[in-house]
Amino acid sequence: MTATTLTQAATAFIDHDSPEVRDFTAAALGDAATPREQAVALYYAVRDTIRYEVYGADLSREGLRASSVVRTGSGMCLHKSVLYAACLRSLGIPARLVLTDVRNHLASARLKELLGGDVFHQHCLTTVRLDGRWIRATPVFNKTLCRLYAMAPLEFDGTADSVHHPFDLRGRRQMEFLRFHGEFDDLPYTRVVEDLRRNHPGLLRAGTTGFAEGSLVQDAAGA
């Protein structure tokens, strides 16, 4: 396969040939006609109709497939970025996954305790090829959650990178990138899960590939 073909292919996780992904994509497009318009429409559909939640996240191979994310209607950055990439590829728009480590990843006091600090490993976003160049996008934190945590929602217009919130609405530093692991044509599953298990043992339930139970909404309410 050529590099372009790889960034458009259906994969184990980016299963854009599934009926779930195709139906989700079709419902999200509306009147969007050009690749840029379609990328923007899909960004907001993934950002705001798939609920963002770290607690209870299913990190199994099945749970991280784009089709499964549509069925469950929720997920964290890995799930939502995989789904966005799948939706883009279903329209022939090249897309990749970007993996990073970040500081203060929308972290409540309880989540920081489970993480073992304020650094989150394997934060995931996407990069999409539009108008002959690659642009990064993060369709992760939905509007409701941003409001609860006093963050402005990340917007995306298909022309400039949309990657992180450096400050919240109160002027406090919110997120910074510490390390880029690279860009990937499919989710490097074993690498991601092993890194999460090694660096965040308190977050993963013992003997499982699922995160501890809880609720970011409840965490915000108790802050």
Side-chain angles (χ1 to χ4, degrees), residues 119-135:
V119 174
F120 188 92
H121 286 246
Q122 302 297 330
H123 171 58
C124 190
L125 53 147
T126 58
T127 182
V128 50
R129 190 163 179 82
L130 296 168
D131 301 321
R133 63 192 184 93
W134 289 96
I135 303 171

Side-chain angles (χ1 to χ4, degrees), residues 28-56:
L29 287 179
D31 297 329
T34 68
R36 184 191 298 173
E37 291 171 343
Q38 292 169 340
V40 170
L42 289 169
Y43 175 91
Y44 287 104
V46 174
R47 191 192 76 176
D48 292 326
T49 69
I50 303 296
R51 181 174 61 90
Y52 178 81
E53 182 61 87
V54 174
Y55 293 116

Side-chain angles (χ1 to χ4, degrees), residues 4-115:
T4 300
T5 303
L6 285 172
T7 59
Q8 294 172 313
T11 69
F13 297 97
I14 305 173
D15 57 344
H16 68 66
D17 51 354
S18 65
E20 292 91 345
V21 172
R22 291 194 175 277
D23 289 348
F24 181 91
T25 300
L29 287 179
D31 297 329
T34 68
R36 184 191 298 173
E37 291 171 343
Q38 292 169 340
V40 170
L42 289 169
Y43 175 91
Y44 287 104
V46 174
R47 191 192 76 176
D48 292 326
T49 69
I50 303 296
R51 181 174 61 90
Y52 178 81
E53 182 61 87
V54 174
Y55 293 116
D58 183 355
L59 273 291
S60 68
R61 290 181 181 272
E62 177 62 28
L64 279 164
R65 290 193 179 100
S67 54
S68 296
V69 180
V70 175
R71 287 195 298 271
T72 60
S74 68
M76 53 179 285
C77 56
L78 290 161
H79 303 78
K80 297 185 73 168
S81 295
V82 164
L83 174 57
Y84 184 49
C87 293
L88 292 165
R89 290 189 187 185
S90 74
L91 300 174
I93 301 173
R96 293 184 181 126
L97 301 173
V98 182
L99 291 170
T100 72
D101 295 342
V102 294
R103 188 181 303 281
N104 197 12
H105 186 278
L106 195 67
S108 64
R110 178 173 182 250
L111 188 54
K112 287 179 182 179
E113 181 180 355
L114 292 171
L115 289 172

Side-chain angles (χ1 to χ4, degrees), residues 110-186:
R110 178 173 182 250
L111 188 54
K112 287 179 182 179
E113 181 180 355
L114 292 171
L115 289 172
D118 62 357
V119 174
F120 188 92
H121 286 246
Q122 302 297 330
H123 171 58
C124 190
L125 53 147
T126 58
T127 182
V128 50
R129 190 163 179 82
L130 296 168
D131 301 321
R133 63 192 184 93
W134 289 96
I135 303 171
R136 287 179 173 173
T138 314
V140 173
F141 307 119
N142 53 286
K143 287 189 296 185
T144 300
L145 202 62
C146 285
R147 184 175 66 252
L148 289 172
Y149 282 84
M151 296 167 61
L154 272 176
E155 309 297 343
F156 180 60
D157 65 3
T159 67
D161 289 342
S162 175
V163 293
H164 74 320
H165 306 260
F167 299 95
D168 67 12
L169 294 176
R170 299 167 189 162
R172 300 172 301 183
R173 179 166 288 281
Q174 184 64 32
M175 182 182 291
E176 59 180 312
F177 285 90
L178 303 176
R179 178 184 179 189
F180 284 89
H181 295 284
E183 297 187 3
F184 302 88
D185 295 325
D186 196 15

